[in-house]
Amino acid sequence: AQRVTQPEKLLSVFKGAPVELKCNYSYSGSPELFWYVQYSRQRLQLLLRHISRESIKGFTADLNKGETSFHLKKPFAQEEDSAMYYCALRPRDDKIIFGKGTRLHILP
Amino acid sequence: DAGVIQSPRHEVTEMGQEVTLRCKPISGHDYLFWYRQTMMRGLELLIYFNNNVPIDDSGMPEDRFSAKMPNASFSTLKIQPSEPRDSAVYFCASLADRGAANTGELFFGEGSRLTVL
């Protein structure tokens, strides 16, 4: 079965500290994986995708097929990073599945 | 393009009433998705369409829920009769076809917040 697991509902991190939001997936094929973010009073929007291997707003995520993980990382948290983060999986059939989300709270 | 447009933004209704949520996807996008967001379950996929055809509705909770896409620019999600446990934010999102300059990016509407009393 296709599944995305985000084990933390809430993550509180001090400003300037490193951030890691965990995401594990279950899929037998080659996955397409994404991170979406929802800032307060804004739409859900794409943060980054694994195929681009890009860094957006200081965030990176590496696909680890051995561990079936796609954790989101940032070396130094900023207050504006406070938001809801969702990991998403797109199998070949185009059904895009999301995890339950992690609320990131940056403490001053 | 104004992006994905959803209406109403907020709906408060009483148990047993019919609720209709509306969505206009981005022009040219071939896929349309309906999601439900709750604290407990996060973002649940309810149903998605490709070229106006429902592809997978396995996420629709029960027969009280139905969705249609009569044309490429409009979709509805209907709940009849509504129940308090249906209270949630309902999102519509659209996606371009894989053959296009498709980055796999879903574009979301602002959501419809439903409260069933």
Side-chain angles (χ1 to χ4, degrees):
Chain A
Q2 300 150 359
R3 189 168 55 245
V4 177
T5 303
Q6 293 180 253
E8 302 137 330
K9 285 190 97 169
L10 172 66
L11 184 65
S12 295
V13 174
F14 283 102
K15 179 181 169 182
V19 175
E20 183 178 47
L21 300 171
K22 291 186 167 53
C23 172
N24 288 89
Y25 66 91
S26 173
Y27 178 55
S28 57
S30 287
E32 284 186 70
L33 287 153
F34 306 83
W35 277 98
Y36 282 78
V37 61
Q38 187 178 26
Y39 300 105
S40 179
R41 298 189 184 85
Q42 292 188 27
R43 302 177 187 229
L44 266 154
Q45 57 188 281
L46 179 67
L47 179 62
L48 53 79
R49 66 206 71 154
H50 91 271
I51 56 172
S52 301
R53 303 181 75 82
E54 58 203 341
S55 174
I56 303 292
K57 300 184 179 183
F59 284 98
T60 58
D62 291 319
L63 175 60
N64 185 324
K65 290 187 178 180
E67 295 182 358
T68 59
S69 68
F70 188 56
H71 303 327
L72 183 68
K73 299 178 184 179
K74 183 169 182 176
F76 307 104
Q78 297 171 280
E79 288 192 57
E80 54 264 35
D81 295 330
S82 292
M84 193 76 180
Y85 291 81
Y86 290 94
C87 183
L89 166 70
R90 185 185 188 191
R92 291 305 300 172
D93 64 358
D94 293 324
K95 181 165 76 172
I96 301 178
I97 303 162
F98 286 81
K100 292 188 178 182
T102 299
R103 181 165 297 283
L104 178 62
H105 184 208
I106 305 302
L107 304 166
Chain B
D1 202 314
V4 177
I5 300 173
Q6 290 187 246
S7 65
R9 292 290 312 280
H10 302 273
E11 173 98 5
V12 180
T13 190
E14 292 188 345
M15 183 173 68
Q17 297 298 307
E18 178 179 294
V19 173
T20 299
L21 308 178
R22 298 172 179 79
C23 176
K24 181 181 186 305
I26 291 174
S27 177
H29 280 191
D30 300 292
Y31 291 87
L32 184 141
F33 298 77
W34 282 101
Y35 290 91
R36 179 170 67 177
Q37 184 187 46
T38 60
M39 291 284 288
M40 291 298 295
R41 297 183 174 180
L43 265 175
E44 298 175 275
L45 175 63
L46 300 177
I47 185 171
Y48 79 99
F49 296 82
N50 179 212
N51 292 322
N52 314 337
V53 176
I55 303 300
D56 188 334
D57 65 354
S58 59
M60 296 285 260
E62 43 197 280
D63 292 345
R64 297 184 297 105
F65 286 70
S66 62
K68 294 182 180 179
M69 193 165 185
N71 57 62
S73 59
F74 183 65
S75 178
T76 59
L77 178 67
K78 188 174 292 188
I79 309 172
Q80 166 64 18
S82 58
E83 295 183 5
R85 59 193 166 121
D86 302 331
S87 297
V89 181
Y90 291 82
F91 286 102
C92 176
S94 70
L95 173 72
D97 185 77
R98 283 187 185 271
N102 181 20
T103 58
E105 180 176 359
L106 266 176
F107 290 85
F108 282 84
E110 293 182 287
S112 294
R113 182 175 295 276
L114 173 65
T115 303
V116 183
L117 303 174

